[in-house]
Amino acid sequence: MIVTLVVIVLLVALLFYGVMIYNNLVNLKHAISQAWANIDVLLKQRHDELPKLVEVCRQSMHFEQETLERVVRARSQVQQAREAGDVRGLGRAEGALRSGLGALFAVAEAYPDLKTNETFQHLQARISGLEESIADRREFYNAAVNANNVRIEQFPDVIVARLLAFGPAELFKVASAERADVDLKGLFAAS
């Protein structure tokens, strides 16, 4: 009788512990989704601001068409990756877009009318602010992914994770071009 009672208590404790592990894994999964949604909101806001910036630059006479096209192409790639939920593709597209924006802002320095244009200044500040916010949200996303990925590999969580198909998530990595040193001489030579 006592042995049966001890076995029942141990099974209930084990079941309770398994439920706690499951709930923690679900919490981590949803933290990743929430972090991704926060990035998505900022990407959408930036996506909406970029055409306005490009149009202001186009109105400036003889503005570098190639630079504008590069930004528009990169914007499209970001949108496609964002809609597909492709974290790796989004990282590459984000790198291309940031590079294009850097070139756009550097080239804009050669156009005094554009530099003093109030709309351009507002859009430049707005997009720069969104870039900073996106970088912050990427950190939150990667922290949530890391917490999930570590947890599903730790014992005893790994048992529950494998039984219930909790898998690893992919970190939001920057493109290798973004990690390279910026060619300031080349940017100023282009303007």
Side-chain angles (χ1 to χ4, degrees), residues 171-189:
L171 291 168
F172 192 153
K173 297 177 184 174
V174 296
S176 58
E178 258 191 273
R179 292 189 302 260
D181 287 339
V182 176
D183 179 16
L184 293 176
K185 183 178 178 183
L187 284 175
F188 284 107

Side-chain angles (χ1 to χ4, degrees), residues 1 3 36-37 55 69 75 90-91 105 121-122 133 147 154 158:
M1 177 80 171
V3 173
W36 181 259
E55 187 54 37
E69 288 172 3
R75 174 184 176 261
L90 184 59
F105 293 146
Q121 290 175 348
H122 170 74
S133 295
Q154 290 178 329
V158 67

Side-chain angles (χ1 to χ4, degrees), residues 115-181:
K115 281 186 353 186
T116 59
N117 182 309
E118 201 172 299
T119 304
F120 177 80
Q121 290 175 348
H122 170 74
L123 289 169
Q124 183 179 18
R126 172 90 171 117
I127 290 170
S128 295
L130 286 169
E131 291 295 325
E132 289 175 21
S133 295
I134 290 167
D136 289 342
R137 296 303 182 272
R138 275 195 333 204
E139 285 184 43
F140 289 133
Y141 174 81
N142 282 343
V145 167
N146 188 53
N148 177 73
N149 291 351
V150 167
R151 189 78 189 256
I152 65 171
E153 290 182 13
Q154 290 178 329
F155 185 81
D157 297 19
V158 67
I159 296 168
V160 174
R162 286 187 181 162
L163 283 174
L164 300 174
F166 283 91
E170 190 170 347
L171 291 168
F172 192 153
K173 297 177 184 174
V174 296
S176 58
E178 258 191 273
R179 292 189 302 260
D181 287 339

Side-chain angles (χ1 to χ4, degrees), residues 5-171:
L5 186 61
V6 169
V7 169
I8 290 173
V9 168
L10 285 175
L11 287 175
V12 168
L14 187 61
L15 179 65
F16 181 72
Y17 189 62
V19 168
M20 283 180 29
I21 290 172
Y22 173 79
N23 288 339
N24 287 329
L25 292 172
V26 168
N27 188 28
L28 289 171
K29 181 177 88 170
H30 286 283
I32 292 170
S33 296
Q34 179 186 13
W36 181 259
N38 289 339
I39 290 172
D40 196 46
V41 166
L42 293 170
L43 292 175
K44 174 77 171 98
Q45 289 174 359
R46 186 187 60 195
H47 182 81
D48 292 344
E49 295 292 331
L50 287 175
K52 298 172 194 171
L53 180 70
V54 168
E55 187 54 37
V56 168
C57 292
R58 274 199 178 116
Q59 291 173 3
S60 178
M61 293 179 58
H62 308 299
F63 196 81
E64 305 278 330
Q65 189 63 31
E66 180 183 332
T67 304
L68 292 176
E69 288 172 3
R70 195 162 96 188
V71 170
V72 170
R73 254 191 328 271
R75 174 184 176 261
S76 175
Q77 291 170 348
V78 166
Q79 180 67 11
Q80 289 169 356
R82 192 182 126 244
E83 288 174 354
D86 178 7
V87 177
R88 185 175 295 152
L90 184 59
R92 283 191 303 269
E94 279 287 304
L97 183 58
R98 270 193 286 290
S99 173
L101 284 172
L104 178 81
F105 293 146
V107 169
E109 292 295 316
Y111 293 85
D113 291 342
L114 186 59
K115 281 186 353 186
T116 59
N117 182 309
E118 201 172 299
T119 304
F120 177 80
Q121 290 175 348
H122 170 74
L123 289 169
Q124 183 179 18
R126 172 90 171 117
I127 290 170
S128 295
L130 286 169
E131 291 295 325
E132 289 175 21
S133 295
I134 290 167
D136 289 342
R137 296 303 182 272
R138 275 195 333 204
E139 285 184 43
F140 289 133
Y141 174 81
N142 282 343
V145 167
N146 188 53
N148 177 73
N149 291 351
V150 167
R151 189 78 189 256
I152 65 171
E153 290 182 13
Q154 290 178 329
F155 185 81
D157 297 19
V158 67
I159 296 168
V160 174
R162 286 187 181 162
L163 283 174
L164 300 174
F166 283 91
E170 190 170 347
L171 291 168

